[in-house]
Amino acid sequence: MNVDQHIKVAQWHLEQARLHATSEHACGCPPNAHDQKAIDAIEAGQVKEELTCTLDQA
């Protein structure tokens, strides 16, 4: 994905988080494997500035 595509995906996720936080939306959607890798990286404090995407390498 290019930078613009990453930003669009991030914006979509932020809107979904906002909707979930305000109880306007309750889909109960489970994370897919890629999302779970991102969640695990955040929770482990592994997020840092990168030049390439490393989620698929884990």
Side-chain angles (χ1 to χ4, degrees):
M1 291 188 337
N2 63 34
V3 172
D4 187 52
Q5 291 169 322
H6 274 287
I7 290 170
K8 288 175 183 175
V9 170
Q11 288 173 329
W12 183 87
H13 280 287
L14 287 170
E15 179 61 12
Q16 293 302 304
R18 185 195 69 76
L19 288 170
H20 280 80
T22 60
S23 300
E24 293 176 27
H25 180 72
C27 68
C29 47
N32 62 32
H34 185 77
D35 290 342
Q36 189 60 55
K37 286 181 184 180
I39 293 166
D40 294 344
I42 292 288
E43 291 178 349
Q46 297 174 342
V47 175
K48 59 186 181 298
E49 184 176 355
E50 299 176 336
L51 300 177
T52 61
C53 181
T54 59
L55 286 178
D56 293 328
Q57 298 171 9

